[in-house]
PDB file of all heavy atoms in Angstrom:
ATOM      1  N   MET A  52      85.805 -42.751 -36.717  1.00  0.00           N
ATOM      2  CA  MET A  52      86.548 -43.106 -35.524  1.00  0.00           C
ATOM      3  C   MET A  52      87.566 -44.210 -35.807  1.00  0.00           C
ATOM      4  O   MET A  52      88.574 -44.324 -35.127  1.00  0.00           O
ATOM      5  CB  MET A  52      85.593 -43.577 -34.416  1.00  0.00           C
ATOM      6  CG  MET A  52      84.679 -42.504 -33.887  1.00  0.00           C
ATOM      7  SD  MET A  52      85.531 -41.079 -33.190  1.00  0.00           S
ATOM      8  CE  MET A  52      85.646 -41.596 -31.471  1.00  0.00           C
ATOM      9  N   ASP A 130     102.523 -43.709 -26.305  1.00  0.00           N
ATOM     10  CA  ASP A 130     103.963 -43.976 -26.359  1.00  0.00           C
ATOM     11  C   ASP A 130     104.745 -42.690 -26.077  1.00  0.00           C
ATOM     12  O   ASP A 130     105.664 -42.321 -26.819  1.00  0.00           O
ATOM     13  CB  ASP A 130     104.371 -44.542 -27.736  1.00  0.00           C
ATOM     14  CG  ASP A 130     103.650 -45.850 -28.052  1.00  0.00           C
ATOM     15  OD1 ASP A 130     103.773 -46.795 -27.249  1.00  0.00           O
ATOM     16  OD2 ASP A 130     102.981 -45.936 -29.097  1.00  0.00           O
ATOM     17  N   LEU A 161     101.263 -38.067 -12.365  1.00  0.00           N
ATOM     18  CA  LEU A 161     100.438 -39.237 -12.051  1.00  0.00           C
ATOM     19  C   LEU A 161     101.289 -40.502 -12.009  1.00  0.00           C
ATOM     20  O   LEU A 161     102.016 -40.806 -12.952  1.00  0.00           O
ATOM     21  CB  LEU A 161      99.344 -39.375 -13.115  1.00  0.00           C
ATOM     22  CG  LEU A 161      98.270 -40.437 -12.872  1.00  0.00           C
ATOM     23  CD1 LEU A 161      97.492 -40.160 -11.593  1.00  0.00           C
ATOM     24  CD2 LEU A 161      97.320 -40.506 -14.068  1.00  0.00           C
ATOM     25  N   ILE A 163     101.812 -44.527  -9.440  1.00  0.00           N
ATOM     26  CA  ILE A 163     101.110 -45.590  -8.719  1.00  0.00           C
ATOM     27  C   ILE A 163     101.354 -45.518  -7.216  1.00  0.00           C
ATOM     28  O   ILE A 163     101.024 -46.448  -6.479  1.00  0.00           O
ATOM     29  CB  ILE A 163     101.523 -46.972  -9.246  1.00  0.00           C
ATOM     30  CG1 ILE A 163     103.020 -47.193  -9.022  1.00  0.00           C
ATOM     31  CG2 ILE A 163     101.210 -47.097 -10.719  1.00  0.00           C
ATOM     32  CD1 ILE A 163     103.435 -48.632  -9.169  1.00  0.00           C
ATOM     33  N   GLU A 166     105.181 -41.878  -2.940  1.00  0.00           N
ATOM     34  CA  GLU A 166     106.563 -41.835  -2.471  1.00  0.00           C
ATOM     35  C   GLU A 166     107.510 -41.633  -3.657  1.00  0.00           C
ATOM     36  O   GLU A 166     107.300 -42.215  -4.714  1.00  0.00           O
ATOM     37  CB  GLU A 166     106.931 -43.141  -1.758  1.00  0.00           C
ATOM     38  CG  GLU A 166     106.058 -43.479  -0.569  1.00  0.00           C
ATOM     39  CD  GLU A 166     104.744 -44.171  -0.975  1.00  0.00           C
ATOM     40  OE1 GLU A 166     104.609 -44.568  -2.154  1.00  0.00           O
ATOM     41  OE2 GLU A 166     103.853 -44.285  -0.108  1.00  0.00           O
ATOM     42  N   LYS A 169     108.369 -44.067  -7.060  1.00  0.00           N
ATOM     43  CA  LYS A 169     107.293 -44.982  -7.459  1.00  0.00           C
ATOM     44  C   LYS A 169     106.954 -44.768  -8.933  1.00  0.00           C
ATOM     45  O   LYS A 169     106.854 -43.640  -9.386  1.00  0.00           O
ATOM     46  CB  LYS A 169     106.030 -44.719  -6.631  1.00  0.00           C
ATOM     47  CG  LYS A 169     106.127 -45.190  -5.204  1.00  0.00           C
ATOM     48  CD  LYS A 169     105.647 -46.615  -5.040  1.00  0.00           C
ATOM     49  CE  LYS A 169     105.923 -47.088  -3.625  1.00  0.00           C
ATOM     50  NZ  LYS A 169     105.583 -48.464  -3.387  1.00  0.00           N
ATOM     51  N   ASP A 171     106.851 -46.320 -13.285  1.00  0.00           N
ATOM     52  CA  ASP A 171     107.636 -46.969 -14.333  1.00  0.00           C
ATOM     53  C   ASP A 171     108.840 -46.085 -14.689  1.00  0.00           C
ATOM     54  O   ASP A 171     109.065 -45.040 -14.074  1.00  0.00           O
ATOM     55  CB  ASP A 171     106.763 -47.277 -15.550  1.00  0.00           C
ATOM     56  CG  ASP A 171     106.080 -46.035 -16.094  1.00  0.00           C
ATOM     57  OD1 ASP A 171     106.372 -44.928 -15.614  1.00  0.00           O
ATOM     58  OD2 ASP A 171     105.263 -46.166 -17.019  1.00  0.00           O
ATOM     59  N   ARG A 172     109.628 -46.511 -15.668  1.00  0.00           N
ATOM     60  CA  ARG A 172     110.846 -45.770 -16.010  1.00  0.00           C
ATOM     61  C   ARG A 172     110.530 -44.348 -16.450  1.00  0.00           C
ATOM     62  O   ARG A 172     111.206 -43.387 -16.059  1.00  0.00           O
ATOM     63  CB  ARG A 172     111.615 -46.507 -17.113  1.00  0.00           C
ATOM     64  CG  ARG A 172     112.184 -47.841 -16.656  1.00  0.00           C
ATOM     65  CD  ARG A 172     112.805 -48.608 -17.818  1.00  0.00           C
ATOM     66  NE  ARG A 172     114.017 -47.989 -18.310  1.00  0.00           N
ATOM     67  CZ  ARG A 172     114.179 -47.483 -19.528  1.00  0.00           C
ATOM     68  NH1 ARG A 172     113.200 -47.528 -20.403  1.00  0.00           N
ATOM     69  NH2 ARG A 172     115.321 -46.942 -19.882  1.00  0.00           N
ATOM     70  N   ARG A 174     108.013 -42.404 -15.648  1.00  0.00           N
ATOM     71  CA  ARG A 174     107.626 -41.557 -14.526  1.00  0.00           C
ATOM     72  C   ARG A 174     108.836 -41.198 -13.658  1.00  0.00           C
ATOM     73  O   ARG A 174     108.971 -40.075 -13.196  1.00  0.00           O
ATOM     74  CB  ARG A 174     106.596 -42.275 -13.657  1.00  0.00           C
ATOM     75  CG  ARG A 174     105.153 -42.034 -13.943  1.00  0.00           C
ATOM     76  CD  ARG A 174     104.702 -41.681 -15.306  1.00  0.00           C
ATOM     77  NE  ARG A 174     104.502 -42.837 -16.166  1.00  0.00           N
ATOM     78  CZ  ARG A 174     103.602 -42.902 -17.140  1.00  0.00           C
ATOM     79  NH1 ARG A 174     102.823 -41.875 -17.423  1.00  0.00           N
ATOM     80  NH2 ARG A 174     103.490 -43.975 -17.904  1.00  0.00           N
ATOM     81  N   GLU A 197      98.292 -39.840  -7.265  1.00  0.00           N
ATOM     82  CA  GLU A 197      97.682 -41.106  -7.665  1.00  0.00           C
ATOM     83  C   GLU A 197      96.306 -40.884  -8.288  1.00  0.00           C
ATOM     84  O   GLU A 197      95.806 -39.768  -8.320  1.00  0.00           O
ATOM     85  CB  GLU A 197      97.591 -42.020  -6.439  1.00  0.00           C
ATOM     86  CG  GLU A 197      98.949 -42.288  -5.811  1.00  0.00           C
ATOM     87  CD  GLU A 197      98.858 -43.134  -4.551  1.00  0.00           C
ATOM     88  OE1 GLU A 197      98.553 -44.328  -4.653  1.00  0.00           O
ATOM     89  OE2 GLU A 197      99.074 -42.575  -3.454  1.00  0.00           O
ATOM     90  N   HIS A 199      93.316 -41.488  -7.340  1.00  0.00           N
ATOM     91  CA  HIS A 199      92.261 -40.871  -6.522  1.00  0.00           C
ATOM     92  C   HIS A 199      92.478 -39.367  -6.340  1.00  0.00           C
ATOM     93  O   HIS A 199      91.534 -38.632  -6.068  1.00  0.00           O
ATOM     94  CB  HIS A 199      92.122 -41.578  -5.174  1.00  0.00           C
ATOM     95  CG  HIS A 199      93.410 -41.841  -4.469  1.00  0.00           C
ATOM     96  ND1 HIS A 199      94.062 -40.873  -3.755  1.00  0.00           N
ATOM     97  CD2 HIS A 199      94.181 -42.951  -4.393  1.00  0.00           C
ATOM     98  CE1 HIS A 199      95.172 -41.389  -3.254  1.00  0.00           C
ATOM     99  NE2 HIS A 199      95.281 -42.655  -3.629  1.00  0.00           N
ATOM    100  N   ALA A 202      90.484 -37.765  -9.071  1.00  0.00           N
ATOM    101  CA  ALA A 202      89.030 -37.811  -8.844  1.00  0.00           C
ATOM    102  C   ALA A 202      88.614 -36.940  -7.665  1.00  0.00           C
ATOM    103  O   ALA A 202      87.535 -36.350  -7.678  1.00  0.00           O
ATOM    104  CB  ALA A 202      88.588 -39.254  -8.609  1.00  0.00           C
ATOM    105  N   GLN A 203      89.458 -36.862  -6.642  1.00  0.00           N
ATOM    106  CA  GLN A 203      89.086 -36.167  -5.405  1.00  0.00           C
ATOM    107  C   GLN A 203      89.692 -34.772  -5.289  1.00  0.00           C
ATOM    108  O   GLN A 203      89.224 -33.961  -4.507  1.00  0.00           O
ATOM    109  CB  GLN A 203      89.540 -37.003  -4.187  1.00  0.00           C
ATOM    110  CG  GLN A 203      88.675 -38.223  -3.922  1.00  0.00           C
ATOM    111  CD  GLN A 203      87.338 -37.838  -3.305  1.00  0.00           C
ATOM    112  OE1 GLN A 203      87.284 -37.003  -2.417  1.00  0.00           O
ATOM    113  NE2 GLN A 203      86.260 -38.433  -3.786  1.00  0.00           N
ATOM    114  N   PHE A 215      97.714 -42.038 -23.084  1.00  0.00           N
ATOM    115  CA  PHE A 215      97.048 -43.336 -22.902  1.00  0.00           C
ATOM    116  C   PHE A 215      96.448 -43.420 -21.499  1.00  0.00           C
ATOM    117  O   PHE A 215      95.246 -43.644 -21.329  1.00  0.00           O
ATOM    118  CB  PHE A 215      98.027 -44.494 -23.130  1.00  0.00           C
ATOM    119  CG  PHE A 215      97.349 -45.836 -23.093  1.00  0.00           C
ATOM    120  CD1 PHE A 215      96.776 -46.374 -24.233  1.00  0.00           C
ATOM    121  CD2 PHE A 215      97.247 -46.543 -21.902  1.00  0.00           C
ATOM    122  CE1 PHE A 215      96.116 -47.596 -24.194  1.00  0.00           C
ATOM    123  CE2 PHE A 215      96.589 -47.769 -21.850  1.00  0.00           C
ATOM    124  CZ  PHE A 215      96.032 -48.295 -23.002  1.00  0.00           C
ATOM    125  N   LYS A 222      88.047 -41.492 -18.654  1.00  0.00           N
ATOM    126  CA  LYS A 222      86.838 -42.260 -18.975  1.00  0.00           C
ATOM    127  C   LYS A 222      86.418 -43.145 -17.799  1.00  0.00           C
ATOM    128  O   LYS A 222      85.229 -43.395 -17.604  1.00  0.00           O
ATOM    129  CB  LYS A 222      87.075 -43.109 -20.228  1.00  0.00           C
ATOM    130  CG  LYS A 222      87.121 -42.280 -21.502  1.00  0.00           C
ATOM    131  CD  LYS A 222      87.490 -43.116 -22.710  1.00  0.00           C
ATOM    132  CE  LYS A 222      87.482 -42.288 -23.981  1.00  0.00           C
ATOM    133  NZ  LYS A 222      88.152 -43.003 -25.103  1.00  0.00           N
ATOM    134  N   GLY A 226      82.889 -42.845 -16.062  1.00  0.00           N
ATOM    135  CA  GLY A 226      82.034 -44.029 -15.942  1.00  0.00           C
ATOM    136  C   GLY A 226      81.573 -44.236 -14.513  1.00  0.00           C
ATOM    137  O   GLY A 226      80.423 -44.588 -14.257  1.00  0.00           O
ATOM    138  N   ALA A 227      82.477 -44.018 -13.571  1.00  0.00           N
ATOM    139  CA  ALA A 227      82.133 -44.216 -12.156  1.00  0.00           C
ATOM    140  C   ALA A 227      81.119 -43.180 -11.688  1.00  0.00           C
ATOM    141  O   ALA A 227      80.258 -43.468 -10.860  1.00  0.00           O
ATOM    142  CB  ALA A 227      83.397 -44.145 -11.299  1.00  0.00           C
ATOM    143  N   LEU A 228      81.218 -41.961 -12.225  1.00  0.00           N
ATOM    144  CA  LEU A 228      80.347 -40.872 -11.769  1.00  0.00           C
ATOM    145  C   LEU A 228      79.023 -40.818 -12.509  1.00  0.00           C
ATOM    146  O   LEU A 228      78.174 -39.982 -12.183  1.00  0.00           O
ATOM    147  CB  LEU A 228      81.056 -39.524 -11.938  1.00  0.00           C
ATOM    148  CG  LEU A 228      82.299 -39.296 -11.091  1.00  0.00           C
ATOM    149  CD1 LEU A 228      82.866 -37.921 -11.364  1.00  0.00           C
ATOM    150  CD2 LEU A 228      81.973 -39.448  -9.609  1.00  0.00           C
TER     151      LEU A 228
ATOM    152  N   MET B  52     106.838 -48.246   2.556  1.00  0.00           N
ATOM    153  CA  MET B  52     106.306 -47.944   1.224  1.00  0.00           C
ATOM    154  C   MET B  52     107.370 -47.319   0.337  1.00  0.00           C
ATOM    155  O   MET B  52     107.310 -47.428  -0.880  1.00  0.00           O
ATOM    156  CB  MET B  52     105.114 -46.999   1.331  1.00  0.00           C
ATOM    157  CG  MET B  52     103.911 -47.580   2.037  1.00  0.00           C
ATOM    158  SD  MET B  52     103.237 -49.056   1.231  1.00  0.00           S
ATOM    159  CE  MET B  52     102.050 -48.290   0.121  1.00  0.00           C
ATOM    160  N   ASP B 130     106.160 -50.917 -17.002  1.00  0.00           N
ATOM    161  CA  ASP B 130     106.948 -51.158 -18.226  1.00  0.00           C
ATOM    162  C   ASP B 130     106.642 -52.549 -18.771  1.00  0.00           C
ATOM    163  O   ASP B 130     107.549 -53.340 -19.071  1.00  0.00           O
ATOM    164  CB  ASP B 130     108.452 -51.027 -17.931  1.00  0.00           C
ATOM    165  CG  ASP B 130     108.825 -49.644 -17.427  1.00  0.00           C
ATOM    166  OD1 ASP B 130     108.507 -48.671 -18.116  1.00  0.00           O
ATOM    167  OD2 ASP B 130     109.430 -49.551 -16.340  1.00  0.00           O
ATOM    168  N   LEU B 161      92.193 -53.121 -22.331  1.00  0.00           N
ATOM    169  CA  LEU B 161      91.946 -51.703 -22.037  1.00  0.00           C
ATOM    170  C   LEU B 161      92.717 -50.804 -22.997  1.00  0.00           C
ATOM    171  O   LEU B 161      93.931 -50.939 -23.152  1.00  0.00           O
ATOM    172  CB  LEU B 161      92.370 -51.409 -20.595  1.00  0.00           C
ATOM    173  CG  LEU B 161      92.024 -50.031 -20.037  1.00  0.00           C
ATOM    174  CD1 LEU B 161      90.526 -49.787 -20.038  1.00  0.00           C
ATOM    175  CD2 LEU B 161      92.594 -49.876 -18.629  1.00  0.00           C
ATOM    176  N   ILE B 163      92.174 -46.774 -25.567  1.00  0.00           N
ATOM    177  CA  ILE B 163      91.608 -45.421 -25.561  1.00  0.00           C
ATOM    178  C   ILE B 163      90.456 -45.283 -26.552  1.00  0.00           C
ATOM    179  O   ILE B 163      90.017 -44.178 -26.843  1.00  0.00           O
ATOM    180  CB  ILE B 163      92.690 -44.372 -25.884  1.00  0.00           C
ATOM    181  CG1 ILE B 163      93.274 -44.635 -27.264  1.00  0.00           C
ATOM    182  CG2 ILE B 163      93.791 -44.414 -24.842  1.00  0.00           C
ATOM    183  CD1 ILE B 163      94.060 -43.469 -27.810  1.00  0.00           C
ATOM    184  N   GLU B 166      87.472 -49.129 -31.285  1.00  0.00           N
ATOM    185  CA  GLU B 166      87.700 -49.536 -32.669  1.00  0.00           C
ATOM    186  C   GLU B 166      89.048 -50.251 -32.788  1.00  0.00           C
ATOM    187  O   GLU B 166      90.028 -49.843 -32.152  1.00  0.00           O
ATOM    188  CB  GLU B 166      87.710 -48.317 -33.598  1.00  0.00           C
ATOM    189  CG  GLU B 166      86.439 -47.488 -33.567  1.00  0.00           C
ATOM    190  CD  GLU B 166      86.409 -46.496 -32.402  1.00  0.00           C
ATOM    191  OE1 GLU B 166      87.445 -46.306 -31.725  1.00  0.00           O
ATOM    192  OE2 GLU B 166      85.330 -45.935 -32.166  1.00  0.00           O
ATOM    193  N   LYS B 169      93.048 -48.935 -32.145  1.00  0.00           N
ATOM    194  CA  LYS B 169      93.194 -47.808 -31.214  1.00  0.00           C
ATOM    195  C   LYS B 169      94.189 -48.175 -30.115  1.00  0.00           C
ATOM    196  O   LYS B 169      94.141 -49.278 -29.579  1.00  0.00           O
ATOM    197  CB  LYS B 169      91.847 -47.484 -30.557  1.00  0.00           C
ATOM    198  CG  LYS B 169      90.866 -46.800 -31.477  1.00  0.00           C
ATOM    199  CD  LYS B 169      90.998 -45.287 -31.437  1.00  0.00           C
ATOM    200  CE  LYS B 169      90.108 -44.681 -32.528  1.00  0.00           C
ATOM    201  NZ  LYS B 169      90.201 -43.243 -32.612  1.00  0.00           N
ATOM    202  N   ASP B 171      98.246 -47.507 -28.005  1.00  0.00           N
ATOM    203  CA  ASP B 171      99.687 -47.358 -28.219  1.00  0.00           C
ATOM    204  C   ASP B 171     100.243 -48.642 -28.853  1.00  0.00           C
ATOM    205  O   ASP B 171      99.492 -49.565 -29.172  1.00  0.00           O
ATOM    206  CB  ASP B 171     100.393 -47.010 -26.903  1.00  0.00           C
ATOM    207  CG  ASP B 171     100.119 -48.041 -25.827  1.00  0.00           C
ATOM    208  OD1 ASP B 171      99.506 -49.093 -26.124  1.00  0.00           O
ATOM    209  OD2 ASP B 171     100.525 -47.815 -24.674  1.00  0.00           O
ATOM    210  N   ARG B 172     101.540 -48.686 -29.058  1.00  0.00           N
ATOM    211  CA  ARG B 172     102.140 -49.832 -29.751  1.00  0.00           C
ATOM    212  C   ARG B 172     101.881 -51.131 -28.995  1.00  0.00           C
ATOM    213  O   ARG B 172     101.552 -52.158 -29.587  1.00  0.00           O
ATOM    214  CB  ARG B 172     103.640 -49.623 -29.932  1.00  0.00           C
ATOM    215  CG  ARG B 172     103.952 -48.484 -30.891  1.00  0.00           C
ATOM    216  CD  ARG B 172     105.451 -48.186 -30.943  1.00  0.00           C
ATOM    217  NE  ARG B 172     106.206 -49.262 -31.554  1.00  0.00           N
ATOM    218  CZ  ARG B 172     107.111 -50.008 -30.944  1.00  0.00           C
ATOM    219  NH1 ARG B 172     107.396 -49.805 -29.670  1.00  0.00           N
ATOM    220  NH2 ARG B 172     107.749 -50.953 -31.574  1.00  0.00           N
ATOM    221  N   ARG B 174      99.426 -51.960 -26.975  1.00  0.00           N
ATOM    222  CA  ARG B 174      98.040 -52.417 -27.083  1.00  0.00           C
ATOM    223  C   ARG B 174      97.765 -52.978 -28.479  1.00  0.00           C
ATOM    224  O   ARG B 174      97.068 -53.971 -28.627  1.00  0.00           O
ATOM    225  CB  ARG B 174      97.083 -51.261 -26.838  1.00  0.00           C
ATOM    226  CG  ARG B 174      96.612 -51.011 -25.430  1.00  0.00           C
ATOM    227  CD  ARG B 174      97.411 -51.463 -24.284  1.00  0.00           C
ATOM    228  NE  ARG B 174      98.409 -50.498 -23.871  1.00  0.00           N
ATOM    229  CZ  ARG B 174      98.818 -50.316 -22.607  1.00  0.00           C
ATOM    230  NH1 ARG B 174      98.334 -51.057 -21.617  1.00  0.00           N
ATOM    231  NH2 ARG B 174      99.757 -49.442 -22.323  1.00  0.00           N
ATOM    232  N   GLU B 197      87.220 -49.546 -22.927  1.00  0.00           N
ATOM    233  CA  GLU B 197      87.687 -48.244 -22.444  1.00  0.00           C
ATOM    234  C   GLU B 197      87.502 -48.110 -20.936  1.00  0.00           C
ATOM    235  O   GLU B 197      86.923 -48.980 -20.287  1.00  0.00           O
ATOM    236  CB  GLU B 197      86.929 -47.141 -23.189  1.00  0.00           C
ATOM    237  CG  GLU B 197      87.138 -47.215 -24.696  1.00  0.00           C
ATOM    238  CD  GLU B 197      86.322 -46.186 -25.455  1.00  0.00           C
ATOM    239  OE1 GLU B 197      86.656 -44.994 -25.394  1.00  0.00           O
ATOM    240  OE2 GLU B 197      85.338 -46.575 -26.109  1.00  0.00           O
ATOM    241  N   HIS B 199      85.546 -46.394 -19.078  1.00  0.00           N
ATOM    242  CA  HIS B 199      84.183 -46.467 -18.522  1.00  0.00           C
ATOM    243  C   HIS B 199      83.634 -47.888 -18.526  1.00  0.00           C
ATOM    244  O   HIS B 199      82.732 -48.207 -17.753  1.00  0.00           O
ATOM    245  CB  HIS B 199      83.241 -45.502 -19.257  1.00  0.00           C
ATOM    246  CG  HIS B 199      83.332 -45.556 -20.749  1.00  0.00           C
ATOM    247  ND1 HIS B 199      82.745 -46.534 -21.495  1.00  0.00           N
ATOM    248  CD2 HIS B 199      83.988 -44.761 -21.627  1.00  0.00           C
ATOM    249  CE1 HIS B 199      83.006 -46.315 -22.780  1.00  0.00           C
ATOM    250  NE2 HIS B 199      83.767 -45.249 -22.893  1.00  0.00           N
ATOM    251  N   ALA B 202      84.438 -49.226 -15.130  1.00  0.00           N
ATOM    252  CA  ALA B 202      83.613 -48.660 -14.059  1.00  0.00           C
ATOM    253  C   ALA B 202      82.155 -49.099 -14.173  1.00  0.00           C
ATOM    254  O   ALA B 202      81.486 -49.295 -13.165  1.00  0.00           O
ATOM    255  CB  ALA B 202      83.699 -47.136 -14.087  1.00  0.00           C
ATOM    256  N   GLN B 203      81.678 -49.266 -15.404  1.00  0.00           N
ATOM    257  CA  GLN B 203      80.257 -49.555 -15.627  1.00  0.00           C
ATOM    258  C   GLN B 203      79.975 -51.023 -15.921  1.00  0.00           C
ATOM    259  O   GLN B 203      78.848 -51.472 -15.785  1.00  0.00           O
ATOM    260  CB  GLN B 203      79.735 -48.711 -16.805  1.00  0.00           C
ATOM    261  CG  GLN B 203      79.524 -47.252 -16.464  1.00  0.00           C
ATOM    262  CD  GLN B 203      78.266 -47.041 -15.629  1.00  0.00           C
ATOM    263  OE1 GLN B 203      77.243 -47.640 -15.879  1.00  0.00           O
ATOM    264  NE2 GLN B 203      78.368 -46.202 -14.597  1.00  0.00           N
ATOM    265  N   PHE B 215     100.738 -50.276 -14.448  1.00  0.00           N
ATOM    266  CA  PHE B 215     100.711 -48.822 -14.238  1.00  0.00           C
ATOM    267  C   PHE B 215      99.305 -48.282 -14.502  1.00  0.00           C
ATOM    268  O   PHE B 215      98.688 -47.656 -13.637  1.00  0.00           O
ATOM    269  CB  PHE B 215     101.740 -48.120 -15.140  1.00  0.00           C
ATOM    270  CG  PHE B 215     101.836 -46.642 -14.856  1.00  0.00           C
ATOM    271  CD1 PHE B 215     102.700 -46.173 -13.887  1.00  0.00           C
ATOM    272  CD2 PHE B 215     101.033 -45.736 -15.526  1.00  0.00           C
ATOM    273  CE1 PHE B 215     102.767 -44.814 -13.592  1.00  0.00           C
ATOM    274  CE2 PHE B 215     101.085 -44.386 -15.243  1.00  0.00           C
ATOM    275  CZ  PHE B 215     101.971 -43.926 -14.283  1.00  0.00           C
ATOM    276  N   ASN B 218      96.609 -49.660 -12.042  1.00  0.00           N
ATOM    277  CA  ASN B 218      96.669 -49.075 -10.710  1.00  0.00           C
ATOM    278  C   ASN B 218      96.061 -47.675 -10.704  1.00  0.00           C
ATOM    279  O   ASN B 218      95.265 -47.323  -9.827  1.00  0.00           O
ATOM    280  CB  ASN B 218      98.133 -49.035 -10.256  1.00  0.00           C
ATOM    281  CG  ASN B 218      98.284 -48.591  -8.816  1.00  0.00           C
ATOM    282  OD1 ASN B 218      98.213 -47.406  -8.532  1.00  0.00           O
ATOM    283  ND2 ASN B 218      98.452 -49.535  -7.906  1.00  0.00           N
ATOM    284  N   LYS B 222      92.485 -46.764  -8.712  1.00  0.00           N
ATOM    285  CA  LYS B 222      92.454 -45.718  -7.693  1.00  0.00           C
ATOM    286  C   LYS B 222      91.582 -44.539  -8.128  1.00  0.00           C
ATOM    287  O   LYS B 222      90.959 -43.881  -7.298  1.00  0.00           O
ATOM    288  CB  LYS B 222      93.875 -45.241  -7.380  1.00  0.00           C
ATOM    289  CG  LYS B 222      94.673 -46.272  -6.581  1.00  0.00           C
ATOM    290  CD  LYS B 222      96.114 -45.833  -6.397  1.00  0.00           C
ATOM    291  CE  LYS B 222      96.896 -46.835  -5.548  1.00  0.00           C
ATOM    292  NZ  LYS B 222      98.362 -46.610  -5.629  1.00  0.00           N
ATOM    293  N   GLY B 226      88.436 -43.334  -6.069  1.00  0.00           N
ATOM    294  CA  GLY B 226      88.340 -41.935  -5.648  1.00  0.00           C
ATOM    295  C   GLY B 226      87.024 -41.315  -6.072  1.00  0.00           C
ATOM    296  O   GLY B 226      86.390 -40.574  -5.320  1.00  0.00           O
ATOM    297  N   ALA B 227      86.579 -41.638  -7.283  1.00  0.00           N
ATOM    298  CA  ALA B 227      85.324 -41.072  -7.789  1.00  0.00           C
ATOM    299  C   ALA B 227      84.134 -41.599  -6.998  1.00  0.00           C
ATOM    300  O   ALA B 227      83.154 -40.888  -6.776  1.00  0.00           O
ATOM    301  CB  ALA B 227      85.165 -41.395  -9.273  1.00  0.00           C
ATOM    302  N   LEU B 228      84.219 -42.872  -6.567  1.00  0.00           N
ATOM    303  CA  LEU B 228      83.080 -43.501  -5.877  1.00  0.00           C
ATOM    304  C   LEU B 228      83.074 -43.251  -4.383  1.00  0.00           C
ATOM    305  O   LEU B 228      82.144 -43.681  -3.701  1.00  0.00           O
ATOM    306  CB  LEU B 228      83.097 -45.016  -6.122  1.00  0.00           C
ATOM    307  CG  LEU B 228      82.894 -45.478  -7.559  1.00  0.00           C
ATOM    308  CD1 LEU B 228      82.932 -46.985  -7.631  1.00  0.00           C
ATOM    309  CD2 LEU B 228      81.561 -44.957  -8.081  1.00  0.00           C
TER     310      LEU B 228
END
Side-chain angles (χ1 to χ4, degrees):
Chain A
M52 294 301 269
D130 300 303
L161 187 61
I163 62 165
E166 302 83 11
K169 287 270 173 184
D171 56 7
R172 293 174 69 244
R174 267 28 84 149
E197 301 177 70
H199 46 80
Q203 285 285 317
F215 186 87
K222 287 174 178 166
L228 295 181
Chain B
M52 295 300 270
D130 299 305
L161 188 60
I163 60 165
E166 302 83 10
K169 286 271 172 182
D171 56 7
R172 293 174 68 244
R174 269 24 87 147
E197 301 176 72
H199 47 79
Q203 285 285 319
F215 186 88
N218 187 281
K222 288 175 178 166
L228 295 180

